[in-house]
Amino acid sequence: MPASWADGLPTGAAAQCSLPDHTRFTETGSSAQYVSVRGAALPLAYSDAVAYDAEGLRAYTELPVGYLANPIHAPSRLPKNTVIRAVGTPGQYLYVGGVVRPIGTPTLSACLLGRYPQNGVAVVPASWLTGVPRGAAATCT
């Protein structure tokens, strides 16, 4: 194909870009580390980084300054109805509208993953999860 084959194709708005889930990163010149979860950039504590290593979640990259400034990466952009688990722990939660709801059984977890299709359980930093309000236990119908 010639290099100019796409010149005549229509173009739309610039695509938003985010890292794959569980990719840890820093911005150039910073030592602060984050992890990408469903497009949101969540801050990592040292203990979280150690726990991610222990679970084999070691993907890491350095990004240019400004990546975190894009509003699509704000922690509040974690999609609603996401099944999450704090790294290094077995307990699962349903993240809904800025609140986490405990998931009490594997059957309930499977039901929620089926009802709200997603790419498995999202592993979030334990230090981030401690600051999220708790709600009533999750249910699935």
Coordinates of all heavy atoms in Angstrom, one line a residue, residues 36-74:
S36 N -3.1 2.0 36.5 CA -4.2 2.2 35.6 C -5.3 1.1 35.9 O -4.9 -0.1 35.8 CB -3.8 2.2 34.2 OG -4.9 2.4 33.3
V37 N -6.5 1.5 36.2 CA -7.6 0.5 36.5 C -8.8 1.1 35.7 O -9.3 2.1 36.1 CB -7.9 0.4 38.0 CG1 -9.1 -0.6 38.2 CG2 -6.7 -0.1 38.7
R38 N -9.2 0.4 34.7 CA -10.3 0.7 33.8 C -10.2 2.2 33.3 O -11.2 2.9 33.2 CB -11.7 0.5 34.6 CG -11.9 -0.9 35.1 CD -12.1 -1.9 34.0 NE -12.6 -3.1 34.5 CZ -11.9 -4.2 34.8 NH1 -10.6 -4.2 34.7 NH2 -12.5 -5.3 35.2
G39 N -9.0 2.6 33.1 CA -8.7 3.9 32.6 C -8.4 5.0 33.6 O -7.8 6.0 33.4
A40 N -8.8 4.7 34.9 CA -8.6 5.7 36.0 C -7.1 5.5 36.5 O -6.7 4.3 36.5 CB -9.6 5.4 37.1
A41 N -6.5 6.5 36.8 CA -5.1 6.4 37.4 C -5.2 6.6 38.9 O -5.6 7.6 39.5 CB -4.3 7.6 36.8
L42 N -4.9 5.5 39.6 CA -5.1 5.4 41.1 C -3.7 5.5 41.7 O -2.8 4.7 41.3 CB -5.8 4.2 41.5 CG -7.1 3.9 40.8 CD1 -7.7 2.6 41.4 CD2 -8.1 5.1 41.1
P43 N -3.5 6.3 42.7 CA -2.2 6.5 43.3 C -1.8 5.2 44.1 O -2.7 4.6 44.7 CB -2.3 7.7 44.3 CG -3.8 7.8 44.5 CD -4.5 7.2 43.3
L44 N -0.5 4.9 44.1 CA 0.0 3.7 44.8 C 0.8 4.1 46.0 O 1.7 5.0 45.9 CB 0.9 2.9 43.9 CG 0.3 2.0 42.8 CD1 1.4 1.4 42.0 CD2 -0.6 1.0 43.4
A45 N 0.6 3.4 47.1 CA 1.5 3.5 48.3 C 2.6 2.4 48.1 O 2.5 1.5 47.3 CB 0.8 3.3 49.6
Y46 N 3.7 2.6 48.8 CA 4.8 1.6 48.7 C 4.3 0.2 48.9 O 4.6 -0.8 48.2 CB 5.9 1.9 49.6 CG 7.0 0.9 49.6 CD1 7.9 0.9 48.5 CD2 7.2 0.0 50.6 CE1 8.9 -0.1 48.5 CE2 8.2 -1.0 50.6 CZ 9.1 -1.0 49.5 OH 10.1 -2.0 49.5
S47 N 3.4 0.0 50.0 CA 2.9 -1.3 50.3 C 2.1 -1.9 49.2 O 2.1 -3.1 48.9 CB 2.1 -1.3 51.6 OG 1.0 -0.3 51.5
D48 N 1.4 -1.0 48.4 CA 0.6 -1.5 47.3 C 1.5 -2.0 46.2 O 1.3 -3.0 45.6 CB -0.2 -0.3 46.7 CG -1.3 0.2 47.6 OD1 -1.9 -0.6 48.4 OD2 -1.5 1.4 47.6
A49 N 2.6 -1.3 45.9 CA 3.6 -1.7 44.9 C 4.2 -3.0 45.2 O 4.3 -3.9 44.4 CB 4.7 -0.6 44.7
V50 N 4.5 -3.3 46.5 CA 5.0 -4.6 46.9 C 3.9 -5.7 46.7 O 4.2 -6.7 46.2 CB 5.4 -4.5 48.4 CG1 5.8 -5.9 49.0 CG2 6.6 -3.6 48.6
A51 N 2.7 -5.4 47.0 CA 1.6 -6.3 46.9 C 1.4 -6.6 45.4 O 1.1 -7.8 45.0 CB 0.3 -5.8 47.5
Y52 N 1.4 -5.6 44.5 CA 1.3 -5.9 43.1 C 2.4 -6.8 42.6 O 2.2 -7.7 41.8 CB 1.3 -4.6 42.3 CG -0.1 -3.9 42.2 CD1 -0.5 -2.9 43.0 CD2 -1.0 -4.3 41.2 CE1 -1.7 -2.3 42.9 CE2 -2.2 -3.7 41.0 CZ -2.6 -2.7 41.9 OH -3.8 -2.2 41.8
D53 N 3.6 -6.5 43.1 CA 4.8 -7.4 42.7 C 4.5 -8.8 43.1 O 4.7 -9.8 42.4 CB 6.1 -6.9 43.3 CG 6.7 -5.7 42.6 OD1 6.2 -5.4 41.5 OD2 7.5 -5.0 43.2
A54 N 4.0 -9.0 44.4 CA 3.8 -10.3 44.9 C 2.7 -11.1 44.1 O 2.8 -12.3 44.0 CB 3.4 -10.2 46.4
E55 N 1.8 -10.4 43.5 CA 0.7 -11.0 42.7 C 1.1 -11.2 41.3 O 0.3 -11.6 40.4 CB -0.6 -10.2 42.8 CG -1.2 -10.2 44.2 CD -2.6 -9.7 44.2 OE1 -3.3 -9.5 43.1 OE2 -3.1 -9.5 45.3
G56 N 2.3 -10.7 40.9 CA 2.8 -10.9 39.6 C 2.3 -9.8 38.6 O 2.5 -9.9 37.4
L57 N 1.8 -8.8 39.2 CA 1.3 -7.6 38.3 C 2.4 -6.6 38.3 O 2.4 -5.6 39.0 CB 0.0 -7.1 38.9 CG -1.2 -8.1 39.0 CD1 -2.3 -7.5 39.8 CD2 -1.6 -8.5 37.7
R58 N 3.3 -6.8 37.4 CA 4.5 -6.0 37.3 C 4.7 -5.1 36.1 O 5.8 -4.5 35.9 CB 5.8 -6.9 37.4 CG 5.8 -7.7 38.7 CD 6.9 -8.6 38.8 NE 6.8 -9.3 40.1 CZ 7.6 -10.2 40.6 NH1 8.7 -10.5 39.9 NH2 7.4 -10.8 41.7
A59 N 3.7 -5.0 35.3 CA 3.8 -4.1 34.1 C 4.1 -2.7 34.5 O 3.4 -2.2 35.4 CB 2.5 -4.2 33.2
Y60 N 5.1 -2.1 33.9 CA 5.5 -0.7 34.4 C 5.9 0.1 33.2 O 6.5 -0.4 32.2 CB 6.6 -0.8 35.4 CG 7.2 0.5 35.8 CD1 6.5 1.2 36.8 CD2 8.2 1.1 35.2 CE1 7.0 2.5 37.2 CE2 8.7 2.3 35.5 CZ 8.1 3.0 36.6 OH 8.5 4.3 36.9
T61 N 5.6 1.4 33.2 CA 6.0 2.3 32.1 C 6.2 3.7 32.7 O 5.7 4.0 33.8 CB 5.0 2.3 31.0 OG1 5.6 3.0 29.9 CG2 3.7 2.9 31.3
E62 N 7.0 4.5 32.0 CA 7.1 5.9 32.3 C 6.4 6.7 31.2 O 6.6 6.4 30.0 CB 8.6 6.3 32.4 CG 8.8 7.7 32.8 CD 10.2 8.1 33.0 OE1 10.9 7.4 33.7 OE2 10.6 9.1 32.3
L63 N 5.6 7.6 31.6 CA 4.8 8.4 30.7 C 5.2 9.9 30.7 O 5.7 10.4 31.7 CB 3.3 8.3 31.0 CG 2.7 6.9 30.9 CD1 1.3 6.9 31.5 CD2 2.7 6.4 29.5
P64 N 4.9 10.6 29.6 CA 5.3 12.0 29.6 C 4.5 12.8 30.6 O 3.3 12.4 31.0 CB 5.0 12.5 28.2 CG 4.3 11.4 27.5 CD 4.4 10.1 28.4
V65 N 5.0 13.9 31.1 CA 4.3 14.8 32.0 C 3.0 15.3 31.3 O 3.0 15.6 30.1 CB 5.2 16.0 32.4 CG1 4.4 17.0 33.2 CG2 6.4 15.6 33.1
G66 N 1.9 15.2 32.0 CA 0.6 15.7 31.5 C -0.4 14.5 31.4 O -1.6 14.8 31.2
Y67 N 0.1 13.3 31.4 CA -0.8 12.1 31.3 C -1.9 12.2 32.4 O -3.1 12.0 32.1 CB 0.0 10.8 31.4 CG -0.9 9.6 31.2 CD1 -1.3 9.1 30.0 CD2 -1.4 8.9 32.3 CE1 -2.1 8.0 29.8 CE2 -2.2 7.8 32.2 CZ -2.5 7.3 31.0 OH -3.3 6.2 30.8
L68 N -1.5 12.5 33.6 CA -2.4 12.5 34.7 C -3.4 13.7 34.7 O -4.5 13.6 35.2 CB -1.7 12.5 36.1 CG -0.9 11.3 36.4 CD1 0.0 11.5 37.6 CD2 -1.9 10.2 36.8
A69 N -3.0 14.7 34.0 CA -3.8 15.9 33.9 C -5.1 15.7 33.0 O -6.1 16.4 33.2 CB -3.0 17.1 33.3
N70 N -5.1 14.7 32.2 CA -6.3 14.4 31.4 C -7.4 13.9 32.3 O -7.3 12.9 33.0 CB -6.0 13.3 30.3 CG -7.1 13.2 29.3 OD1 -8.2 13.2 29.6 ND2 -6.7 12.9 28.1
P71 N -8.6 14.6 32.2 CA -9.7 14.2 33.1 C -10.1 12.8 33.0 O -10.7 12.2 34.0 CB -10.8 15.2 32.7 CG -10.1 16.3 32.0 CD -8.9 15.7 31.4
I72 N -9.9 12.1 31.9 CA -10.3 10.7 31.8 C -9.6 9.8 32.7 O -10.0 8.7 32.9 CB -10.3 10.1 30.3 CG1 -8.8 10.0 29.9 CG2 -11.1 11.0 29.4 CD1 -8.7 9.1 28.6
H73 N -8.5 10.2 33.3 CA -7.7 9.4 34.2 C -7.9 9.7 35.6 O -7.3 9.1 36.5 CB -6.2 9.5 33.9 CG -5.8 9.2 32.4 ND1 -6.1 8.0 31.8 CD2 -5.3 10.0 31.5 CE1 -5.7 8.1 30.6 NE2 -5.3 9.3 30.3
A74 N -8.9 10.5 35.9 CA -9.2 10.9 37.3 C -9.7 9.6 38.1 O -10.5 8.8 37.5 CB -10.2 12.0 37.4

